[in-house]
Amino acid sequence: MFTKIYASLPRRQEGATAVEYGLIAGLIAVAIIVVLTAVGTDLGGLFERISGSLTTAGT
């Protein structure tokens, strides 16, 4: 009985598409955060080396 009722319900694709777009947006956001964190760490080390070189050159 329930399978007949379920089969007669219209299939909506808009909700599935919205969920898929949401998952893609979430994965892109996670990738951006990972990349920016790695680049930020590398830039922090670079600025520390430059600062140390400038301090050494000034004395």
Side-chain angles (χ1 to χ4, degrees), residues 38-57:
V39 169
T41 303
D42 291 342
L43 282 177
L46 175 66
F47 285 132
E48 286 179 19
R49 287 193 305 271
I50 291 172
S51 175
S53 296
L54 291 175
T55 304
T56 304

Side-chain angles (χ1 to χ4, degrees), residues 4-40:
K4 236 182 217 188
I5 294 171
Y6 181 74
S8 69
L9 293 175
R11 303 264 190 245
R12 293 184 57 189
Q13 294 294 327
E14 296 87 19
T17 304
V19 170
E20 291 167 357
Y21 283 135
L23 288 172
I24 291 169
L27 290 173
I28 290 172
V30 168
I32 289 172
I33 290 170
V34 167
V35 168
L36 289 179
T37 301
V39 169

